[in-house]
């Protein structure tokens, strides 16, 4: 087995040398991160512009892969679907052509480039066809000297492609075969640059020239980190040698280099990088260092050698123009991410508003504590669906009580699975509010909100994702408390006002809700059986609320109702 592993790693190293040597001479045309995609303004153009019925769509994944998919139709003189950028200004005259890493469905696609060439005043498309292998990543070369001019399907043999004047880039499927299609593109780059390029002294260039870091160099290229680590920096890289990578279990490197595993590869590589220039003596003095990945490295002299976590330092202080390289004999693997509710929600990326609200309410520690807790987590879209100004109002310091009440309505003590909730049909939130679970119209619901995803397991509980923010419906009536004798009907009036107002507020009519609350408070303020100081305070509150917008007025008046209710029921 050891022999097989060695052969695999030697093969990987050879592949790395060839692949990265080629990549080092390529200019990037498109890498498909979301920021770049937005700047290039990729858009779908179907045959619908000519009456056809083909439908295409494009997506850019978090790991930087473009997905062009849809259905091709030949009806109504149709038969093509394409994507293209907005206006560009590219001079690629120094290259021989384009090379793209693609994974397709076995169909043939066209790379299409637009220049300043015109036919009858309209843009000429220069095209070159490439074939994909079904379900396999391949690199396809598309030479510039094989691009042919065309206009609306008509070949223009006299038009010459000029790579110095590229104004548009696109991909098109028009193979006259109906049915679904799918093409993934990892990157598009140039190849065959002419002339000598200035030699860089960056840490990436030093690693390539050294000869011990072929696999690392390839990994940096596959992770799309070469450009970042060739920047101004400074950076410190703890660089594993090829032998270090060979210690990993068989197939690990090959698996990590797949485009679909790019995020994992990036995390591992960033765990080897410090965003500063740190020589060996400084590192030893500090004893630890934070990495770009977010985790920390332990650096210490032990048993006659310098240790970086469990790796041994075998060379140090290789200085480049933008940082320092320290050579290590093992690949550093970042610690497993924390799996508490707070970190799981943060990694998901769709609960930013919820986490901001939790922080504003001072409840962050609760999501990281031992628990267990069950969280009904509204997505960012759920918060965005609230009436305008609601979130901003809730995040104000003076409204922390209301915010805490709302957030507590989304938490249940203990670990309650979806099955448990459905069987029990109800639960009590930490706020005291009743939560009703049921299947309605084929969807799993809690208090009218649809549960989009269930049972996201965390170390300290479970998360269920919901599509609407749960707003408290009414103040929970303490069962074991006697009411004060000041006004037996006051609490009933408040309960009735809240019960009427909440559904109206939730439907977006904040002004009507505020009017209901105002009328109730006005009646209480006019009740001579109520303490004069309380009546005066309520009158002042009403006067202050009348000077705000409808949303703020509803919240202020609701706060007044809650305080009076608490007073008369205790």
């Amino acid at each position: 087995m050891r022999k097989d592993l060695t052969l695999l790693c030697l093969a990987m190293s050879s592949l790395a040398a060839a692949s990265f040597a080629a990549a080092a001479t390529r200019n990037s045309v498109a890498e498909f991160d979301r920021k770049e995609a937005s700047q290039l303004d990729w858009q779908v153009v179907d045959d619908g512009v000519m009456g056809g019925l083909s439908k295409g769509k494009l997506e850019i994944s978090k790991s930087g892969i473009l997905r062009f998919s849809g259905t091709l139709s030949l009806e109504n003189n149709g038969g093509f679907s394409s994507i293209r950028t907005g206006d560009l200004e590219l001079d690629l005259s120094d290259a021989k052509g384009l090379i793209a890493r693609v994974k397709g469905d076995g169909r043939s696609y066209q790379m299409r480039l637009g220049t300043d060439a015109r036919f009858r005043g309209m843009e000429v498309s220069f095209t070159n066809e490439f074939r994909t292998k079904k379900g396999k990543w391949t690199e396809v070369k598309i030479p510039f000297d094989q691009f042919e001019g065309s206009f609306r399907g008509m070949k223009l043999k006299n038009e010459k492609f000029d790579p110095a004047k590229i104004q548009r880039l696109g991909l098109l499927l028009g193979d006259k075969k109906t049915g679904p299609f799918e093409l993934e593109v990892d990157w598009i780059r140039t190849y065959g640059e002419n002339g000598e390029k200035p030699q860089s002294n960056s840490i990436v260039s030093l690693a390539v020239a050294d000869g011990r870091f072929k696999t690392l160099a390839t990994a940096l290229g596959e992770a799309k980190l070469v450009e970042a680590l060739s920047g101004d920096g400074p950076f410190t890289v703890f660089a594993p040698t090829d032998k270090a990578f060979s210690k990993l279990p068989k197939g690990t490197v090959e698996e990590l280099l797949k485009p679909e595993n790019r995020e994992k590869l990036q995390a591992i590589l960033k765990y080897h990088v410090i965003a500063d220039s740190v020589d060996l003596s400084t590192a030893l003095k500090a004893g630890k260092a934070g990495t770009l990945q977010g985790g920390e490295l332990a650096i210490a002299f032990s048993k006659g050698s310098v240790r970086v976590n469990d790796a041994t330092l075998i060379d140090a202080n290789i200085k480049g123009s933008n940082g320092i390289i320290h050579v290590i004999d093992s690949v550093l693997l970042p610690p497993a991410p924390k799996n508490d509710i707070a970190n799981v929600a943060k990694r998901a990326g769709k609960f930013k508003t919820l986490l901001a609200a939790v922080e504003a309410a001072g409840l962050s520690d609760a999501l990281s504590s031992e628990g267990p807790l069950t969280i009904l987590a509204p997505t960012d879209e759920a918060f965005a669906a609230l009436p305008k100004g609601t979130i901003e109002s809730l995040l104000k310091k003076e409204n922390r009580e209301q915010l805490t009440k709302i957030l507590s309505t989304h938490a249940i003590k203990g670990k309650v699975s979806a099955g448990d909730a459905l069987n029990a049909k109800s639960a009590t939130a930490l706020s005291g509010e009743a939560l009703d679970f049921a299947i309605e119209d084929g969807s799993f619901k809690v208090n009218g909100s649809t549960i989009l995803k269930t049972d996201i397991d965390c170390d300290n509980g479970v998360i269920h994702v919901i599509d609407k923010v749960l707003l408290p419906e009414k103040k929970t009536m303490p069962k074991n408390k006697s009411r004060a004798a000041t006004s037996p009907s006051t609490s009933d009036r408040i309960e009735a006002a809240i019960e009427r107002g909440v559904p109206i507020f939730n439907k977006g009519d904040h002004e009507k809700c505020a009017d209901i609350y105002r009328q109730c408070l006005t009646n209480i303020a006019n009740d001579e059986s109520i303490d004069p100081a309380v009546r005066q305070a309520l009158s002042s509150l009403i006067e202050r609320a009348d000077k705000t917008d409808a949303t703020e007025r509803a919240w202020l008046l609701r706060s007044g109702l809650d305080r009076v209710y608490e007073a008369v029921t205790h």
Side-chain angles (χ1 to χ4, degrees), residues 224-276:
K224 300 187 179 182
L225 293 176
V226 172
E227 186 176 351
L229 293 181
S230 299
D232 294 337
F235 303 104
T236 298
V237 177
F238 291 92
T241 62
D242 294 333
K243 288 183 179 180
F245 277 97
S246 75
K247 295 179 182 179
L248 294 173
K250 185 177 180 179
T252 301
V253 175
E254 189 176 38
E255 193 68 21
L256 285 171
L257 293 179
K258 292 180 179 179
E260 54 265 33
N261 294 326
R262 181 166 291 135
E263 288 184 73
K264 186 175 182 179
L265 178 61
Q266 288 176 342
I268 292 173
L269 295 175
K270 287 179 180 180
Y271 191 56
H272 292 75
V273 182
I274 301 170
D276 199 359

Side-chain angles (χ1 to χ4, degrees), residues 26 103 107 118 149 226 245 285 373 445 447 485 525 542:
R26 296 172 186 165
K103 182 170 75 172
R107 299 173 75 162
R118 295 292 182 270
V226 172
F245 277 97
K285 185 176 180 180
L373 282 176
K445 302 268 191 177
N447 285 20
I542 294 168

